[in-house]
Amino acid sequence: MKKILVVGASGKTGRNIVKQLLELGHSVHLIVRTTNNLSKDILKHQKINITKASILDINEEEMVNLVSDSDAIVSCLGHNLSFKGIFGEPKRLCTDATKNLCEAIRSSKANSPIKFILMSSVGVKNKKIGEQRSIFDNIILTLLRWFLPPHKDNEIALDYLISSFGNSNKHIEWCAVRPDSLIDDKISKFEIIESPITTIFKGRPTSRKNVANFMTQLIGDNTLWSMWKFKTPVIMNEK
Ligand SMILES: NC(=O)c1ccc[n+]([C@@H]2O[C@H](COP(=O)([O-])OP(=O)(O)OC[C@H]3O[C@@H](n4cnc5c(N)ncnc54)[C@H](OP(=O)(O)O)[C@@H]3O)[C@@H](O)[C@H]2O)c1
């Protein structure tokens, strides 16, 4: 069984991941600002540890302690869907949290690489593999980059992982999971592909439970991890 650190654990996807990891017998450490959204089953679980803090307020030393006790780290952070969440500070929530966690992993100098799984979005391009989109999608994505800070945040977070850790690193192995539009539905069959095949306004929804299920599999299944590490899989519910 593994030890997993989850940030963004109070969110809709984060809560599903925590639940699924516990069901599989893993130990889970959460960093949350508030426990109000967490169920009693999670709060009282004997394999749960909670650090109550805002992720960007955790100092370097504490962060190194937190990551060095983990086999894998999952970030399901996202800007709250309110005016303040979308346009207020911190504008670089996902990027800064990713940087702080990854720099802490680097400093911890673990004997074997720690898995870092980032929840990204299908709207974020993987520049490393020269992903192309239609002219229309590129115009929309450019507008989103200028006018929607959370989109730019997701883009910079992925660029950081690619430019800092590329295709191999002795301390970190990363994977950025890119769901299409998220829905709250049951676990169902889903597809994992290397690059988007849908267009921005004709996407295929992904249930948060499926995203959680795929991330949970990435943590526990080393063959699956070997297929997707240092990559940006797109996840979609099967038709
Ligand atoms: N919505 C979509 O259709 C869609 C599609 C693809 C990808 N995504 C991406 O998926 C990710 C997660 O989605 P979700 O629906 O699971 O998100 P969510 O339910 O809104 O959860 C967001 C999480 O981030 C935390 N958070 C927000 N602002 C914070 C701050 N300033 N400091 C510390 N923590 C903060 C929240 O904590 P609190 O509970 O304390 O607020 C919560 O745990 C997002 O990055 C989003 O970009 C979304």
Side-chain angles (χ1 to χ4, degrees):
M1 286 305 117
K2 298 188 186 302
K3 290 180 179 177
I4 325 295
L5 178 67
V6 183
V7 301
S10 57
K12 290 181 185 166
T13 313
R15 292 196 301 262
N16 278 302
I17 290 184
V18 173
K19 186 168 177 281
Q20 292 183 29
L21 288 170
L22 291 172
E23 282 167 3
L24 290 170
H26 298 298
S27 298
V28 187
H29 194 129
L30 318 180
I31 304 176
V32 285
R33 297 191 288 190
T34 165
T35 54
N36 290 352
N37 290 338
L38 300 175
S39 69
K40 275 188 190 153
D41 288 350
I42 288 181
L43 291 172
K44 289 187 175 161
H45 201 286
Q46 54 182 10
K47 289 196 168 181
I48 276 283
N49 264 299
I50 298 181
T51 296
K52 217 168 154 185
S54 185
I55 179 76
L56 299 183
D57 291 341
I58 294 179
N59 69 37
E60 221 178 300
E61 190 184 345
E62 197 182 345
M63 196 69 107
V64 172
N65 284 336
L66 285 165
V67 304
S68 47
D69 194 35
S70 312
D71 301 298
I73 296 164
V74 181
S75 171
C76 289
L77 288 166
H79 296 255
N80 289 342
L81 294 179
S82 62
F83 187 84
K84 187 172 178 288
I86 293 174
F87 296 104
E89 295 297 335
K91 287 206 170 46
R92 297 283 177 267
L93 169 68
C94 301
T95 304
D96 290 345
T98 298
K99 282 184 182 170
N100 293 355
L101 288 160
C102 291
E103 291 312 321
I105 295 174
R106 222 187 315 231
S107 304
S108 75
K109 296 193 170 67
N111 292 330
S112 51
I114 294 176
K115 294 177 180 177
F116 181 82
I117 301 174
L118 175 69
M119 182 148 174
S120 182
S121 161
V122 77
V124 175
K125 271 195 232 173
N126 182 339
K127 295 178 189 152
K128 186 177 72 154
I129 55 174
E131 237 166 43
Q132 298 297 326
R133 302 282 170 99
S134 69
I135 294 174
F136 179 74
D137 277 9
N138 278 330
I139 293 170
I140 300 292
L141 290 175
T142 304
L143 291 174
L144 290 179
R145 187 172 311 129
W146 285 349
F147 297 112
L148 205 63
H151 177 70
K152 190 162 181 180
D153 184 21
N154 278 336
E155 287 188 328
I156 302 175
L158 178 59
D159 287 349
Y160 163 79
L161 286 176
I162 292 174
S163 62
S164 306
F165 306 105
N167 280 334
S168 123
N169 186 278
K170 62 179 174 183
H171 301 304
I172 297 188
E173 292 178 348
W174 62 268
C175 175
V177 176
R178 296 185 291 170
D180 211 313
S181 49
L182 291 168
I183 53 169
D184 290 314
D185 203 354
K186 57 185 184 305
I187 293 186
S188 58
K189 287 189 178 165
F190 55 85
E191 272 180 64
I192 304 293
I193 51 175
E194 182 123 15
S195 284
I197 50 166
T198 56
T199 57
I200 303 255
F201 291 116
K202 285 192 179 163
R204 216 190 297 160
T206 316
S207 89
R208 289 181 171 87
K209 284 195 171 82
N210 285 346
V211 176
N213 186 260
F214 178 55
M215 289 182 172
T216 306
Q217 287 185 44
L218 284 171
I219 290 167
D221 180 343
N222 282 336
T223 309
L224 188 71
W225 181 253
S226 302
M227 276 174 68
W228 292 110
K229 65 182 177 181
F230 304 111
K231 292 187 178 166
T232 52
V234 172
I235 175 169
M236 299 176 300
N237 283 3
E238 252 185 34
K239 271 185 189 164

